[in-house]
Amino acid sequence: MNWNELHSTIYYWDGSWRDIYIFDTTEEDWSEFIKYANENCNVSWYNGKREQDENKIDFSVIKEYWGDNGDLVSTAKLFLGEIQINTHFFTDTEIECDIDPREFKSIEDHYKLMDFLIKLSEVIRKTVYVTPENCPEIKLITIDGKNVNLNLGSDPSD
């Protein structure tokens, strides 16, 4: 594996971002995700209940949003150094985040993301997928605990 290969098959720029998915999640999974993010990332999150930006995600507010209080919805920005992971709270049954592939400039950036996602997979005890935007069926990266599978044979033009 080398940076040029990763860049051309996973972190290529085609005008879209990459999605990070964890499927079939529960509130407990979300609680673990938020705890992990709050403890391991710099966080920027707009708390719609308090109407202010905060550096931690308040899971009770997210649960209120899922309970039909749509005014509280917001996106949390998680930072791994210069890499921003946008976390969306659309539903409690799926964790969905996205990343801008243009922020990945070296293999060290890739390793930073992999370290975060491996630990996340271990914490939640579920598989994490990186896919092209809105294409959950195309798995560019699959992380199951410490097992990482890179689909370097994908053709970005497809």
Side-chain angles (χ1 to χ4, degrees), residues 10-145:
I10 295 182
Y11 301 107
Y12 56 91
W13 178 244
D14 63 351
S16 66
W17 290 30
R18 301 299 164 269
D19 288 329
I20 299 169
Y21 288 107
I22 304 172
F23 300 110
D24 301 318
T25 57
T26 64
E27 275 192 21
E28 182 179 330
D29 296 329
W30 269 104
S31 176
E32 290 296 321
F33 173 86
I34 289 170
K35 179 181 175 190
Y36 175 72
N38 283 341
E39 292 174 356
N40 293 282
C41 301
N42 290 324
V43 175
S44 176
W45 173 68
Y46 181 76
N47 183 335
K49 190 169 186 175
R50 296 178 67 186
E51 298 184 350
Q52 66 184 34
D53 288 323
E54 298 186 0
N55 63 2
K56 301 287 182 202
I57 304 164
D58 183 339
F59 187 47
S60 66
V61 175
I62 302 304
K63 289 193 296 186
E64 279 187 55
Y65 161 68
W66 290 332
D68 293 330
N69 191 347
D71 293 336
L72 301 179
V73 68
S74 63
T75 297
K77 298 173 190 166
L78 313 178
F79 294 94
L80 304 173
E82 300 297 314
I83 298 167
Q84 178 177 317
I85 302 171
N86 296 319
T87 303
H88 308 288
F89 304 102
F90 300 133
T91 175
D92 63 345
T93 61
E94 177 181 279
I95 294 173
E96 182 182 343
C97 307
D98 55 43
I99 54 174
D100 184 340
R102 295 171 295 182
E103 293 180 350
F104 291 80
K105 300 184 182 351
S106 68
I107 199 157
E108 287 77 22
D109 292 335
H110 167 74
Y111 289 146
K112 207 179 292 183
L113 179 66
M114 291 303 98
D115 185 51
F116 176 79
L117 296 180
I118 288 167
K119 290 175 185 165
L120 176 61
S121 176
E122 292 174 334
V123 164
I124 296 182
R125 297 171 307 283
K126 295 204 177 197
T127 304
V128 179
Y129 302 98
V130 177
T131 74
E133 189 171 43
N134 297 320
C135 296
E137 69 281 0
I138 301 172
K139 312 305 193 269
L140 298 173
I141 305 173
T142 302
I143 300 126
D144 188 10

